[in-house]
Structure formats: C-alpha cells, structure tokens
Amino acid sequence: MEQKSWTNPLSGEGNCLGSRDKHSQQRKVYLDYNATTPPAAEVVEVVTEALLEGWGNPSSSYTAGCKAKEMIDTGRAQIARMVGGKPEDIIFTSGGTEANNMVLFSAVEHFSAAAPGRSSNGADGALPHIITSNVEHDSVALPLLHLQRTQKAEVTFVPVSTLTGRVEVEDIIAALRPNTCLVSIMLANNETGVIMPIGELSQHLASISQKRAAQGLPKILLHTDAAQALGKVEVDVQELGVNYLTIVGHKFYGPRIGALYVNSVGQTSPLLPMLYGGGQERNFRPGTENTPMIAGLGKAANLVSLHVSSYNAHMTSVRDYLEQRLEAAFGERICFNSRFPGTERLPNTCNVSLLRPSILGREWLSQCRYLLASVGAACHSDRGDSPSPVLLSCGIPHEVARGAVRLSVGRETSKEDVDLIIKDLQKAVQHFETQQTQ
C-alpha cells in the first residue's frame, strides 16, 4: 500500500491541541495523556489500510471480507500477546465502559443463575456481593451503584489507605462474605498513578476460593480495569492471575475501541452477553466487527509489546525531571498528591497542588499559555470547584485537593517541554500573587 503522509496531532500543526496559538505563536505542551493519547502514526496507517482494503464484511468469503477477517484475527493475536493471554481469550468491545459493564453484569447474572443449585450455606437467598475500591473509574462505580440501588446486588466500596494511596489486600479479604462473587479493582489509578496489588490479591483469592468450594460457596472472580497501566508498565494476565482485564485503546496511542480479556471464557470465567444479534465474537458481543478500529487497536498493542520498556524508561525520566523542576521552582508552595512512601506508581503521572497562593487547579491552568492539562479524570470535568473524590479518599486535605492539577507525560514529551511549562506555571502564579497584593 502506498505510504500516506501523517502529522502528529500534538506536533503543532493542523490540530486544535497542537496548533500554534495565534496570539503567542508558541507551541502547546500536552500533558493530559492519562485522559487520552493521539493515535500513533503506525496505527493511523493500519486503520487507513483497513478502510481501503478490509472494508468487506468479515463473515463473507469474497476478497474484501477475507481481508477484514485476516486483519481482525491479526489484531486479536496482537492484543492477546500484549497482555500475555491467548487470542481466544479476547472479546472486542466499543471501549472500556462496555467491557467493565459486561464483567459486572455477567457476575450478577451468573451468581443468580447458579443460586438454585447451591447447597444450604450462608450464600443461600442472598443477593450477589461485589467488592470494589472507593477510587474506581465511573464505568465501574456507577454500574455498581445502579445494581445496589435496584437491589440486584450488594456492593462494598473498600477505602484505599491514606498512607499508601492503594487498596490493601487485607481490607478486601476482610470485606468478603459468603455471597461474594466478584472483586473489581483497577490496576492503576488515573489521578494518582498508584498501582494496586492485583497479583498479591489474586493469590489470596485463589486460596480462599478453594476452601469456599468445599463449603458450596461461590468462586470469587477477579476483574481489573487496566486502562491506565497498558502502554506504561508491563501487564501480564498470568502474573496478575485475573479472570477479566479491561483494555482501552485510546490510552495507549490506539483508536477509541476496547477489548476484554477473559480467562477461558465460559469455562473458568463466566461471561454473558449484554447485546443479542448476529452471533459475532462467539455471541458474547454480537454486531458486525469494526475492522479498522480493531486493526488499529492490534497495531497499538503490538507497539506496546515491542517497546513498553523504553516507553516506561522515557516517561519515568521526564516525569522525575518534571517533579524536580516543580520543586526547584515552587519549593514548599506545592504539594505532591501522588507520592505515597513505598507505593509503586505509573511512570508518567504527577498530581500536584499549589498551596500559596491558594487557588483552584482549574484557575492555575486557565492562566497557562502553553500547558494543556486537566485537574483530574476527564469524566469528572463537570464537577466545578469541588475537589476530586479520589484525592479526598487518599487522605489529601480538602483545600489541597481543590488546587490539584494532574500532569501526565507521554512517549514524546521532552525535558524542553517541561522547561517551557514550568515557566508557564510560574508566570501563572505571579499573576495570582499580583492580584492578591492589589
């Protein structure tokens, strides 16, 4: 296929994020990679190829259909390789929200369907019980609140530790009940970058489930939303020991499509469809496959498989440099909200608040000419001046949380970019200090 020219949407040309400011004539520096990432050039190329050559129905036998089927099979294999699974364990979805909902509602339905066959035990007559943390993404928290409100499930939101910023294994174990059927904990938090102890948790749950089986109690399934971790740290479903893992393409330079890893779907890990239709994806997710997006997701996954170590090293270096420059520029006037002693975190995430003068995070950003960032999760952009519930749950004081800004670096963020936005942030603070003295 003929090579097509492609411009990085963050390079400063032809895009509202990367275009040159008509007033400042300076490039913008995007530091909101935890919200979304631009598609990699290789991904755009594969998506274009799929649009041109794989436009046929993948269930058809003519050339364009066979090409589409081939691209889907390749994408599935690439995604499986990225997470250490098998191609048959991958189910394509529209995104992370759908994948998370599939897991939650499947767990509830499976528990209810199996209930009549259970022996007399503490789970009889009880609603299915699900455990999660109090810092989950809305695509987990809100479906669970809905299930709780409609009395279809009992839900326990285990608080994260204010010392470590993570949910502790012993607290989850303490929350188990005879009717517990699922634990859903994110792999890494989108605001603090804190990595949760999923591997350790799975080992404990496996041991407990063996003992529960002898008592006629339901197996405890484990789900993790890996949206923030993929592309930044190594993710291996075998090491994590999970039944389900959510994959979100636009978080690792892929298209806005998702996938769900299911360990031995229908056997070790139950999965029930939320949609009914033509039987695609083995009836678990019917609907004619979105070949271009699947091919792009596969290519993005392949890049991660090949380069995640170098991505990690680069982002760690730039993030550490960013925090060093922030400390040098502001000293005791700032507070790092994403640093918890002894806790592992993502290599790209820095959550910081300005203490003096005390201003809202969104106000600090509004005075920046070059920096493009956010105050937290994109899905909470409408919360106004209210502080992040995630930061409050982690023990960050209310006034400090109100001033928080999340800075998340990417694969191509440079130290020169950091130098520019440090000056930008300093000038913004000078603006507020001037206002206060007037």
Side-chain angles (χ1 to χ4, degrees), residues 82 226-235 248 251-253 300-301 303-305 307-312 315 346-348 411:
M82 175 180 66
Q228 289 298 331
L230 289 167
K232 301 167 188 170
V233 296
E234 295 273 1
V235 175
V248 182
K251 303 294 187 180
F252 55 94
Y253 295 75
L303 293 174
V304 170
S305 297
H307 306 299
V308 66
S309 295
S310 59
Y311 294 157
N312 183 300
M315 288 187 282
L346 294 175
N348 78 318
R411 296 174 186 174

PDB file of all heavy atoms in Angstrom, residues 82 226-235 248 251-253 300-301 303-305 307-312 315 346-348 411:
ATOM      1  N   MET A  82       0.041  -8.766  23.940  1.00  0.00           N
ATOM      2  CA  MET A  82       0.364  -7.626  24.798  1.00  0.00           C
ATOM      3  C   MET A  82       0.089  -7.925  26.270  1.00  0.00           C
ATOM      4  O   MET A  82       0.835  -7.484  27.151  1.00  0.00           O
ATOM      5  CB  MET A  82      -0.443  -6.395  24.359  1.00  0.00           C
ATOM      6  CG  MET A  82      -0.267  -5.183  25.269  1.00  0.00           C
ATOM      7  SD  MET A  82      -1.226  -3.734  24.743  1.00  0.00           S
ATOM      8  CE  MET A  82      -2.919  -4.297  24.982  1.00  0.00           C
ATOM      9  N   ALA A 226      -7.473  -2.257  33.390  1.00  0.00           N
ATOM     10  CA  ALA A 226      -6.069  -1.932  33.140  1.00  0.00           C
ATOM     11  C   ALA A 226      -5.893  -0.746  32.211  1.00  0.00           C
ATOM     12  O   ALA A 226      -4.818  -0.568  31.623  1.00  0.00           O
ATOM     13  CB  ALA A 226      -5.352  -3.150  32.569  1.00  0.00           C
ATOM     14  N   ALA A 227      -6.927   0.078  32.081  1.00  0.00           N
ATOM     15  CA  ALA A 227      -6.894   1.188  31.126  1.00  0.00           C
ATOM     16  C   ALA A 227      -5.650   2.053  31.285  1.00  0.00           C
ATOM     17  O   ALA A 227      -4.991   2.393  30.299  1.00  0.00           O
ATOM     18  CB  ALA A 227      -8.153   2.047  31.281  1.00  0.00           C
ATOM     19  N   GLN A 228      -5.312   2.434  32.504  1.00  0.00           N
ATOM     20  CA  GLN A 228      -4.201   3.358  32.720  1.00  0.00           C
ATOM     21  C   GLN A 228      -2.833   2.691  32.699  1.00  0.00           C
ATOM     22  O   GLN A 228      -1.820   3.349  32.463  1.00  0.00           O
ATOM     23  CB  GLN A 228      -4.385   4.093  34.047  1.00  0.00           C
ATOM     24  CG  GLN A 228      -5.506   5.101  34.060  1.00  0.00           C
ATOM     25  CD  GLN A 228      -5.296   6.235  33.066  1.00  0.00           C
ATOM     26  OE1 GLN A 228      -4.162   6.593  32.743  1.00  0.00           O
ATOM     27  NE2 GLN A 228      -6.376   6.805  32.569  1.00  0.00           N
ATOM     28  N   ALA A 229      -2.793   1.399  32.932  1.00  0.00           N
ATOM     29  CA  ALA A 229      -1.497   0.721  33.053  1.00  0.00           C
ATOM     30  C   ALA A 229      -0.911   0.304  31.708  1.00  0.00           C
ATOM     31  O   ALA A 229       0.307   0.361  31.505  1.00  0.00           O
ATOM     32  CB  ALA A 229      -1.635  -0.507  33.955  1.00  0.00           C
ATOM     33  N   LEU A 230      -1.755  -0.098  30.775  1.00  0.00           N
ATOM     34  CA  LEU A 230      -1.269  -0.604  29.495  1.00  0.00           C
ATOM     35  C   LEU A 230      -0.511   0.473  28.731  1.00  0.00           C
ATOM     36  O   LEU A 230      -0.965   1.606  28.618  1.00  0.00           O
ATOM     37  CB  LEU A 230      -2.437  -1.123  28.659  1.00  0.00           C
ATOM     38  CG  LEU A 230      -3.066  -2.425  29.169  1.00  0.00           C
ATOM     39  CD1 LEU A 230      -4.395  -2.683  28.488  1.00  0.00           C
ATOM     40  CD2 LEU A 230      -2.101  -3.594  28.948  1.00  0.00           C
ATOM     41  N   GLY A 231       0.639   0.105  28.213  1.00  0.00           N
ATOM     42  CA  GLY A 231       1.472   1.037  27.480  1.00  0.00           C
ATOM     43  C   GLY A 231       2.448   1.790  28.357  1.00  0.00           C
ATOM     44  O   GLY A 231       3.318   2.506  27.845  1.00  0.00           O
ATOM     45  N   LYS A 232       2.321   1.645  29.668  1.00  0.00           N
ATOM     46  CA  LYS A 232       3.199   2.353  30.601  1.00  0.00           C
ATOM     47  C   LYS A 232       4.025   1.384  31.440  1.00  0.00           C
ATOM     48  O   LYS A 232       5.182   1.666  31.760  1.00  0.00           O
ATOM     49  CB  LYS A 232       2.364   3.259  31.511  1.00  0.00           C
ATOM     50  CG  LYS A 232       1.544   4.290  30.749  1.00  0.00           C
ATOM     51  CD  LYS A 232       0.514   4.948  31.651  1.00  0.00           C
ATOM     52  CE  LYS A 232      -0.438   5.835  30.838  1.00  0.00           C
ATOM     53  NZ  LYS A 232      -1.579   6.301  31.618  1.00  0.00           N
ATOM     54  N   VAL A 233       3.408   0.273  31.833  1.00  0.00           N
ATOM     55  CA  VAL A 233       4.110  -0.758  32.603  1.00  0.00           C
ATOM     56  C   VAL A 233       3.796  -2.118  31.982  1.00  0.00           C
ATOM     57  O   VAL A 233       2.837  -2.269  31.230  1.00  0.00           O
ATOM     58  CB  VAL A 233       3.683  -0.758  34.086  1.00  0.00           C
ATOM     59  CG1 VAL A 233       4.068   0.546  34.764  1.00  0.00           C
ATOM     60  CG2 VAL A 233       2.175  -1.001  34.222  1.00  0.00           C
ATOM     61  N   GLU A 234       4.614  -3.102  32.300  1.00  0.00           N
ATOM     62  CA  GLU A 234       4.369  -4.466  31.819  1.00  0.00           C
ATOM     63  C   GLU A 234       3.076  -4.991  32.450  1.00  0.00           C
ATOM     64  O   GLU A 234       2.859  -4.865  33.657  1.00  0.00           O
ATOM     65  CB  GLU A 234       5.532  -5.381  32.218  1.00  0.00           C
ATOM     66  CG  GLU A 234       6.859  -5.025  31.564  1.00  0.00           C
ATOM     67  CD  GLU A 234       7.031  -5.690  30.203  1.00  0.00           C
ATOM     68  OE1 GLU A 234       6.103  -6.409  29.781  1.00  0.00           O
ATOM     69  OE2 GLU A 234       8.092  -5.485  29.584  1.00  0.00           O
ATOM     70  N   VAL A 235       2.217  -5.574  31.633  1.00  0.00           N
ATOM     71  CA  VAL A 235       0.967  -6.150  32.120  1.00  0.00           C
ATOM     72  C   VAL A 235       0.883  -7.584  31.613  1.00  0.00           C
ATOM     73  O   VAL A 235       0.886  -7.836  30.406  1.00  0.00           O
ATOM     74  CB  VAL A 235      -0.251  -5.344  31.629  1.00  0.00           C
ATOM     75  CG1 VAL A 235      -1.553  -6.035  32.053  1.00  0.00           C
ATOM     76  CG2 VAL A 235      -0.213  -3.916  32.178  1.00  0.00           C
ATOM     77  N   VAL A 248      -8.259  -0.583  26.953  1.00  0.00           N
ATOM     78  CA  VAL A 248      -8.812   0.649  26.367  1.00  0.00           C
ATOM     79  C   VAL A 248      -7.786   1.240  25.403  1.00  0.00           C
ATOM     80  O   VAL A 248      -6.737   1.728  25.816  1.00  0.00           O
ATOM     81  CB  VAL A 248      -9.170   1.668  27.465  1.00  0.00           C
ATOM     82  CG1 VAL A 248      -9.796   2.918  26.858  1.00  0.00           C
ATOM     83  CG2 VAL A 248     -10.131   1.041  28.485  1.00  0.00           C
ATOM     84  N   LYS A 251      -5.934   4.913  25.386  1.00  0.00           N
ATOM     85  CA  LYS A 251      -4.987   5.218  26.462  1.00  0.00           C
ATOM     86  C   LYS A 251      -3.556   4.831  26.095  1.00  0.00           C
ATOM     87  O   LYS A 251      -2.615   5.236  26.771  1.00  0.00           O
ATOM     88  CB  LYS A 251      -5.378   4.493  27.755  1.00  0.00           C
ATOM     89  CG  LYS A 251      -6.779   4.792  28.266  1.00  0.00           C
ATOM     90  CD  LYS A 251      -6.954   6.224  28.712  1.00  0.00           C
ATOM     91  CE  LYS A 251      -8.323   6.402  29.379  1.00  0.00           C
ATOM     92  NZ  LYS A 251      -8.563   7.787  29.828  1.00  0.00           N
ATOM     93  N   PHE A 252      -3.376   4.020  25.021  1.00  0.00           N
ATOM     94  CA  PHE A 252      -2.020   3.659  24.616  1.00  0.00           C
ATOM     95  C   PHE A 252      -1.822   3.886  23.118  1.00  0.00           C
ATOM     96  O   PHE A 252      -1.331   3.037  22.390  1.00  0.00           O
ATOM     97  CB  PHE A 252      -1.642   2.236  25.047  1.00  0.00           C
ATOM     98  CG  PHE A 252      -2.559   1.128  24.601  1.00  0.00           C
ATOM     99  CD1 PHE A 252      -2.301   0.418  23.430  1.00  0.00           C
ATOM    100  CD2 PHE A 252      -3.670   0.768  25.347  1.00  0.00           C
ATOM    101  CE1 PHE A 252      -3.122  -0.621  23.023  1.00  0.00           C
ATOM    102  CE2 PHE A 252      -4.502  -0.269  24.949  1.00  0.00           C
ATOM    103  CZ  PHE A 252      -4.221  -0.965  23.783  1.00  0.00           C
ATOM    104  N   TYR A 253      -2.241   5.056  22.650  1.00  0.00           N
ATOM    105  CA  TYR A 253      -1.982   5.531  21.295  1.00  0.00           C
ATOM    106  C   TYR A 253      -2.710   4.720  20.230  1.00  0.00           C
ATOM    107  O   TYR A 253      -2.277   4.629  19.090  1.00  0.00           O
ATOM    108  CB  TYR A 253      -0.470   5.574  21.016  1.00  0.00           C
ATOM    109  CG  TYR A 253       0.270   6.581  21.874  1.00  0.00           C
ATOM    110  CD1 TYR A 253       0.529   6.321  23.220  1.00  0.00           C
ATOM    111  CD2 TYR A 253       0.688   7.797  21.343  1.00  0.00           C
ATOM    112  CE1 TYR A 253       1.195   7.238  24.017  1.00  0.00           C
ATOM    113  CE2 TYR A 253       1.358   8.733  22.136  1.00  0.00           C
ATOM    114  CZ  TYR A 253       1.607   8.450  23.467  1.00  0.00           C
ATOM    115  OH  TYR A 253       2.263   9.364  24.260  1.00  0.00           O
ATOM    116  N   ALA A 300      -1.552  -0.864  17.841  1.00  0.00           N
ATOM    117  CA  ALA A 300      -1.142  -0.154  19.058  1.00  0.00           C
ATOM    118  C   ALA A 300      -0.643  -1.133  20.106  1.00  0.00           C
ATOM    119  O   ALA A 300       0.349  -0.877  20.802  1.00  0.00           O
ATOM    120  CB  ALA A 300      -2.316   0.666  19.605  1.00  0.00           C
ATOM    121  N   ALA A 301      -1.311  -2.277  20.222  1.00  0.00           N
ATOM    122  CA  ALA A 301      -0.882  -3.311  21.165  1.00  0.00           C
ATOM    123  C   ALA A 301       0.473  -3.867  20.777  1.00  0.00           C
ATOM    124  O   ALA A 301       1.326  -4.136  21.641  1.00  0.00           O
ATOM    125  CB  ALA A 301      -1.926  -4.430  21.213  1.00  0.00           C
ATOM    126  N   LEU A 303       2.872  -2.310  19.231  1.00  0.00           N
ATOM    127  CA  LEU A 303       3.890  -1.323  19.608  1.00  0.00           C
ATOM    128  C   LEU A 303       4.219  -1.417  21.088  1.00  0.00           C
ATOM    129  O   LEU A 303       5.377  -1.304  21.497  1.00  0.00           O
ATOM    130  CB  LEU A 303       3.405   0.082  19.255  1.00  0.00           C
ATOM    131  CG  LEU A 303       3.267   0.405  17.762  1.00  0.00           C
ATOM    132  CD1 LEU A 303       2.627   1.783  17.574  1.00  0.00           C
ATOM    133  CD2 LEU A 303       4.612   0.357  17.057  1.00  0.00           C
ATOM    134  N   VAL A 304       3.195  -1.623  21.905  1.00  0.00           N
ATOM    135  CA  VAL A 304       3.418  -1.770  23.348  1.00  0.00           C
ATOM    136  C   VAL A 304       4.260  -3.019  23.625  1.00  0.00           C
ATOM    137  O   VAL A 304       5.210  -2.985  24.414  1.00  0.00           O
ATOM    138  CB  VAL A 304       2.074  -1.847  24.099  1.00  0.00           C
ATOM    139  CG1 VAL A 304       2.292  -2.246  25.561  1.00  0.00           C
ATOM    140  CG2 VAL A 304       1.351  -0.506  24.022  1.00  0.00           C
ATOM    141  N   SER A 305       3.909  -4.124  22.982  1.00  0.00           N
ATOM    142  CA  SER A 305       4.666  -5.364  23.188  1.00  0.00           C
ATOM    143  C   SER A 305       6.144  -5.184  22.855  1.00  0.00           C
ATOM    144  O   SER A 305       7.021  -5.719  23.536  1.00  0.00           O
ATOM    145  CB  SER A 305       4.077  -6.490  22.328  1.00  0.00           C
ATOM    146  OG  SER A 305       2.757  -6.791  22.708  1.00  0.00           O
ATOM    147  N   HIS A 307       7.881  -2.188  22.679  1.00  0.00           N
ATOM    148  CA  HIS A 307       8.613  -1.033  23.203  1.00  0.00           C
ATOM    149  C   HIS A 307       8.229  -0.582  24.615  1.00  0.00           C
ATOM    150  O   HIS A 307       8.677   0.479  25.045  1.00  0.00           O
ATOM    151  CB  HIS A 307       8.416   0.157  22.252  1.00  0.00           C
ATOM    152  CG  HIS A 307       8.763  -0.117  20.831  1.00  0.00           C
ATOM    153  ND1 HIS A 307      10.026  -0.482  20.422  1.00  0.00           N
ATOM    154  CD2 HIS A 307       7.993  -0.089  19.702  1.00  0.00           C
ATOM    155  CE1 HIS A 307      10.036  -0.659  19.108  1.00  0.00           C
ATOM    156  NE2 HIS A 307       8.821  -0.430  18.642  1.00  0.00           N
ATOM    157  N   VAL A 308       7.425  -1.343  25.338  1.00  0.00           N
ATOM    158  CA  VAL A 308       6.929  -0.845  26.620  1.00  0.00           C
ATOM    159  C   VAL A 308       8.071  -0.506  27.590  1.00  0.00           C
ATOM    160  O   VAL A 308       7.972   0.459  28.365  1.00  0.00           O
ATOM    161  CB  VAL A 308       5.936  -1.835  27.263  1.00  0.00           C
ATOM    162  CG1 VAL A 308       6.614  -3.136  27.661  1.00  0.00           C
ATOM    163  CG2 VAL A 308       5.231  -1.194  28.456  1.00  0.00           C
ATOM    164  N   SER A 309       9.156  -1.241  27.540  1.00  0.00           N
ATOM    165  CA  SER A 309      10.271  -0.962  28.461  1.00  0.00           C
ATOM    166  C   SER A 309      10.880   0.408  28.179  1.00  0.00           C
ATOM    167  O   SER A 309      11.177   1.170  29.100  1.00  0.00           O
ATOM    168  CB  SER A 309      11.348  -2.039  28.339  1.00  0.00           C
ATOM    169  OG  SER A 309      10.867  -3.284  28.765  1.00  0.00           O
ATOM    170  N   SER A 310      11.067   0.729  26.889  1.00  0.00           N
ATOM    171  CA  SER A 310      11.632   2.038  26.551  1.00  0.00           C
ATOM    172  C   SER A 310      10.621   3.147  26.805  1.00  0.00           C
ATOM    173  O   SER A 310      10.995   4.248  27.219  1.00  0.00           O
ATOM    174  CB  SER A 310      12.096   2.056  25.091  1.00  0.00           C
ATOM    175  OG  SER A 310      11.031   1.787  24.208  1.00  0.00           O
ATOM    176  N   TYR A 311       9.339   2.871  26.578  1.00  0.00           N
ATOM    177  CA  TYR A 311       8.307   3.867  26.916  1.00  0.00           C
ATOM    178  C   TYR A 311       8.370   4.187  28.406  1.00  0.00           C
ATOM    179  O   TYR A 311       8.340   5.351  28.817  1.00  0.00           O
ATOM    180  CB  TYR A 311       6.913   3.337  26.582  1.00  0.00           C
ATOM    181  CG  TYR A 311       6.606   3.111  25.116  1.00  0.00           C
ATOM    182  CD1 TYR A 311       5.603   2.219  24.745  1.00  0.00           C
ATOM    183  CD2 TYR A 311       7.304   3.775  24.113  1.00  0.00           C
ATOM    184  CE1 TYR A 311       5.306   1.999  23.405  1.00  0.00           C
ATOM    185  CE2 TYR A 311       7.014   3.550  22.772  1.00  0.00           C
ATOM    186  CZ  TYR A 311       6.014   2.664  22.430  1.00  0.00           C
ATOM    187  OH  TYR A 311       5.710   2.444  21.112  1.00  0.00           O
ATOM    188  N   ASN A 312       8.442   3.135  29.201  1.00  0.00           N
ATOM    189  CA  ASN A 312       8.475   3.289  30.658  1.00  0.00           C
ATOM    190  C   ASN A 312       9.683   4.104  31.093  1.00  0.00           C
ATOM    191  O   ASN A 312       9.571   5.043  31.899  1.00  0.00           O
ATOM    192  CB  ASN A 312       8.488   1.906  31.313  1.00  0.00           C
ATOM    193  CG  ASN A 312       8.448   1.963  32.823  1.00  0.00           C
ATOM    194  OD1 ASN A 312       9.338   2.527  33.454  1.00  0.00           O
ATOM    195  ND2 ASN A 312       7.437   1.364  33.411  1.00  0.00           N
ATOM    196  N   MET A 315       9.297   7.860  30.037  1.00  0.00           N
ATOM    197  CA  MET A 315       8.303   8.599  30.814  1.00  0.00           C
ATOM    198  C   MET A 315       8.752   8.789  32.261  1.00  0.00           C
ATOM    199  O   MET A 315       8.515   9.845  32.856  1.00  0.00           O
ATOM    200  CB  MET A 315       6.946   7.888  30.747  1.00  0.00           C
ATOM    201  CG  MET A 315       6.273   8.026  29.391  1.00  0.00           C
ATOM    202  SD  MET A 315       4.586   7.376  29.322  1.00  0.00           S
ATOM    203  CE  MET A 315       4.905   5.620  29.201  1.00  0.00           C
ATOM    204  N   LEU A 346       2.507   4.744  38.401  1.00  0.00           N
ATOM    205  CA  LEU A 346       2.780   4.809  36.978  1.00  0.00           C
ATOM    206  C   LEU A 346       3.963   5.725  36.703  1.00  0.00           C
ATOM    207  O   LEU A 346       4.179   6.700  37.435  1.00  0.00           O
ATOM    208  CB  LEU A 346       1.547   5.313  36.227  1.00  0.00           C
ATOM    209  CG  LEU A 346       0.323   4.411  36.254  1.00  0.00           C
ATOM    210  CD1 LEU A 346      -0.854   5.100  35.572  1.00  0.00           C
ATOM    211  CD2 LEU A 346       0.615   3.072  35.580  1.00  0.00           C
ATOM    212  N   PRO A 347       4.706   5.471  35.631  1.00  0.00           N
ATOM    213  CA  PRO A 347       5.913   6.262  35.359  1.00  0.00           C
ATOM    214  C   PRO A 347       5.638   7.655  34.805  1.00  0.00           C
ATOM    215  O   PRO A 347       6.567   8.447  34.700  1.00  0.00           O
ATOM    216  CB  PRO A 347       6.640   5.414  34.309  1.00  0.00           C
ATOM    217  CG  PRO A 347       5.549   4.711  33.583  1.00  0.00           C
ATOM    218  CD  PRO A 347       4.533   4.384  34.641  1.00  0.00           C
ATOM    219  N   ASN A 348       4.395   7.952  34.485  1.00  0.00           N
ATOM    220  CA  ASN A 348       4.128   9.214  33.778  1.00  0.00           C
ATOM    221  C   ASN A 348       3.287  10.208  34.558  1.00  0.00           C
ATOM    222  O   ASN A 348       3.022  11.306  34.071  1.00  0.00           O
ATOM    223  CB  ASN A 348       3.409   8.919  32.461  1.00  0.00           C
ATOM    224  CG  ASN A 348       1.942   8.620  32.655  1.00  0.00           C
ATOM    225  OD1 ASN A 348       1.558   7.906  33.594  1.00  0.00           O
ATOM    226  ND2 ASN A 348       1.107   9.149  31.796  1.00  0.00           N
ATOM    227  N   ARG A 411       4.887   9.577  25.503  1.00  0.00           N
ATOM    228  CA  ARG A 411       6.070   8.962  24.896  1.00  0.00           C
ATOM    229  C   ARG A 411       7.016   9.990  24.293  1.00  0.00           C
ATOM    230  O   ARG A 411       8.221   9.763  24.222  1.00  0.00           O
ATOM    231  CB  ARG A 411       5.639   7.983  23.801  1.00  0.00           C
ATOM    232  CG  ARG A 411       4.833   6.812  24.291  1.00  0.00           C
ATOM    233  CD  ARG A 411       4.330   5.974  23.120  1.00  0.00           C
ATOM    234  NE  ARG A 411       3.431   4.919  23.566  1.00  0.00           N
ATOM    235  CZ  ARG A 411       2.757   4.120  22.742  1.00  0.00           C
ATOM    236  NH1 ARG A 411       2.896   4.269  21.429  1.00  0.00           N
ATOM    237  NH2 ARG A 411       1.956   3.189  23.226  1.00  0.00           N
TER     238      ARG A 411
END
